[in-house]
Amino acid sequence: MATKIIIDTDPGIDDAIAICMAINSPSISVLGLTSVFGNTYGELTAYNALRLAELSDRTVIPVARGSDVPLFIPIQNLGTLVHGDDGMGNSNLPTPKGEFLSLSAAEFIAKTVHENPGEVTLLTLGPLTNLALALRIYPELSNQIKKVVIMGGVVAHPGNMTPVSEANIARDPHAAEIVFSSGLPIVLVGLDVTEKTIITNSLLQEVFKAKSPAVELLKKIIPAYQHFFAQYYSMNGSFFTHDPSAMAYIFRPNLFKTRKTSIFVETEGRCSGQTVADWNNKLEKRTAVEVCLKVNSRGVLDVLKNTLTT
Ligand code: BDR
Ligand code: CA
């Protein structure tokens, strides 16, 4: 049976790659996309989510708009330098035809999980605001969501927002702390593994030979992402595999080596957004998170290529 997932996302160029991997794969059933601010303003990520949902040629994928702002802190450090002002590499994409659901992202997550208890995996590719809101209103979700796979955080590697924080967690640390203390079964696909897997330009050119609306869209938006990584990381056409790695986990969890530990999120000061791994149980007990520490990068890139080209 296909894996039922909801993708909570702030598209975002790497979000778009991850979503394209899933939408036409028979082993995955995308029950919906929920949008959140992050890589750009919430209104723009929401419209990008609609655009991505419309690439599905198998089913109609509903899109619910989510939060435009973090829970408590002001909006800061959007990802427009990386993803362009529009979140899609300033690629001037046409207006999407579809409409948002009347439910908010948090309500959609809750309704879908209530209708499919124990069956829905939530893949989060942006700040955790929508999930935190859903948990605040419907705390029983922590027993009813099958698994939450989070692209975010970092435990033993430098951060990409600050020296110790990853962008998705840093943009709404209070939401992340609510999620990590909720008791949900969580897998953390953080920078510890996403920066170990590198998409090269030659792999991309292979992908770009495929003829599909999804690949046509990726061809338009990825050059801006390559440009950012060339300019700021001297990566010369290559880039890190953030959101696509979390999607690859959904397809093939065995590509990752994990270790369980409680995770605490700093919410204030210079270390705000840090995901602290309590390896030796020094802090209060909470449900352990499966933290990805090693990755079979070749395997992740194979999943990426196969899902985008077949
Ligand atoms: C994460 O932050 C966002 O900018 C990317 O889309 C990815 O989800 C990487 O830190
Ligand atoms: Ca993202």
PDB file of all heavy atoms in Angstrom, residues 10 14-15 39 125-126 168 243, ligand 2:
ATOM      1  N   ASP A  10       7.675  25.160   2.730  1.00  0.00           N
ATOM      2  CA  ASP A  10       7.851  26.605   2.498  1.00  0.00           C
ATOM      3  C   ASP A  10       8.525  26.826   1.142  1.00  0.00           C
ATOM      4  O   ASP A  10       9.609  27.384   1.072  1.00  0.00           O
ATOM      5  CB  ASP A  10       8.673  27.241   3.636  1.00  0.00           C
ATOM      6  CG  ASP A  10      10.096  26.687   3.746  1.00  0.00           C
ATOM      7  OD1 ASP A  10      10.341  25.540   3.297  1.00  0.00           O
ATOM      8  OD2 ASP A  10      10.979  27.393   4.271  1.00  0.00           O
ATOM      9  N   ASP A  14      14.497  23.829  -2.981  1.00  0.00           N
ATOM     10  CA  ASP A  14      14.734  22.424  -2.610  1.00  0.00           C
ATOM     11  C   ASP A  14      13.447  21.748  -2.159  1.00  0.00           C
ATOM     12  O   ASP A  14      13.266  20.542  -2.341  1.00  0.00           O
ATOM     13  CB  ASP A  14      15.861  22.271  -1.581  1.00  0.00           C
ATOM     14  CG  ASP A  14      15.590  22.976  -0.270  1.00  0.00           C
ATOM     15  OD1 ASP A  14      14.939  24.040  -0.268  1.00  0.00           O
ATOM     16  OD2 ASP A  14      16.049  22.469   0.768  1.00  0.00           O
ATOM     17  N   ASP A  15      12.498  22.523  -1.622  1.00  0.00           N
ATOM     18  CA  ASP A  15      11.168  21.975  -1.342  1.00  0.00           C
ATOM     19  C   ASP A  15      10.544  21.479  -2.640  1.00  0.00           C
ATOM     20  O   ASP A  15       9.938  20.394  -2.692  1.00  0.00           O
ATOM     21  CB  ASP A  15      10.229  23.049  -0.766  1.00  0.00           C
ATOM     22  CG  ASP A  15      10.736  23.673   0.508  1.00  0.00           C
ATOM     23  OD1 ASP A  15      11.716  24.434   0.445  1.00  0.00           O
ATOM     24  OD2 ASP A  15      10.135  23.403   1.567  1.00  0.00           O
ATOM     25  N   ASN A  39      11.041  30.249   3.370  1.00  0.00           N
ATOM     26  CA  ASN A  39      11.995  30.649   2.321  1.00  0.00           C
ATOM     27  C   ASN A  39      11.626  32.001   1.724  1.00  0.00           C
ATOM     28  O   ASN A  39      12.478  32.697   1.175  1.00  0.00           O
ATOM     29  CB  ASN A  39      12.080  29.565   1.251  1.00  0.00           C
ATOM     30  CG  ASN A  39      12.912  28.396   1.735  1.00  0.00           C
ATOM     31  OD1 ASN A  39      13.906  28.577   2.431  1.00  0.00           O
ATOM     32  ND2 ASN A  39      12.492  27.184   1.395  1.00  0.00           N
ATOM     33  N   LEU A 125       9.101  20.365   5.813  1.00  0.00           N
ATOM     34  CA  LEU A 125      10.242  20.907   5.067  1.00  0.00           C
ATOM     35  C   LEU A 125      10.454  22.382   5.370  1.00  0.00           C
ATOM     36  O   LEU A 125      11.260  23.039   4.698  1.00  0.00           O
ATOM     37  CB  LEU A 125      10.010  20.717   3.557  1.00  0.00           C
ATOM     38  CG  LEU A 125       9.699  19.299   3.070  1.00  0.00           C
ATOM     39  CD1 LEU A 125       9.405  19.302   1.557  1.00  0.00           C
ATOM     40  CD2 LEU A 125      10.855  18.355   3.375  1.00  0.00           C
ATOM     41  N   GLY A 126       9.714  22.908   6.338  1.00  0.00           N
ATOM     42  CA  GLY A 126       9.832  24.339   6.668  1.00  0.00           C
ATOM     43  C   GLY A 126       9.747  24.512   8.179  1.00  0.00           C
ATOM     44  O   GLY A 126       9.826  23.541   8.944  1.00  0.00           O
ATOM     45  N   ASN A 168      15.179  26.119   9.331  1.00  0.00           N
ATOM     46  CA  ASN A 168      13.766  25.797   9.608  1.00  0.00           C
ATOM     47  C   ASN A 168      13.448  25.872  11.093  1.00  0.00           C
ATOM     48  O   ASN A 168      12.343  26.257  11.486  1.00  0.00           O
ATOM     49  CB  ASN A 168      13.419  24.389   9.085  1.00  0.00           C
ATOM     50  CG  ASN A 168      13.318  24.347   7.578  1.00  0.00           C
ATOM     51  OD1 ASN A 168      13.137  25.383   6.931  1.00  0.00           O
ATOM     52  ND2 ASN A 168      13.449  23.159   7.012  1.00  0.00           N
ATOM     53  N   ASP A 243      15.957  19.370   1.618  1.00  0.00           N
ATOM     54  CA  ASP A 243      14.609  18.786   1.616  1.00  0.00           C
ATOM     55  C   ASP A 243      14.537  17.464   0.835  1.00  0.00           C
ATOM     56  O   ASP A 243      13.827  16.535   1.268  1.00  0.00           O
ATOM     57  CB  ASP A 243      13.595  19.810   1.077  1.00  0.00           C
ATOM     58  CG  ASP A 243      13.450  20.994   2.022  1.00  0.00           C
ATOM     59  OD1 ASP A 243      13.890  20.896   3.181  1.00  0.00           O
ATOM     60  OD2 ASP A 243      12.909  22.031   1.594  1.00  0.00           O
TER      61      ASP A 243
HETATM   62 CA    CA B   2      12.161  24.015   2.910  1.00  0.00          CA
END
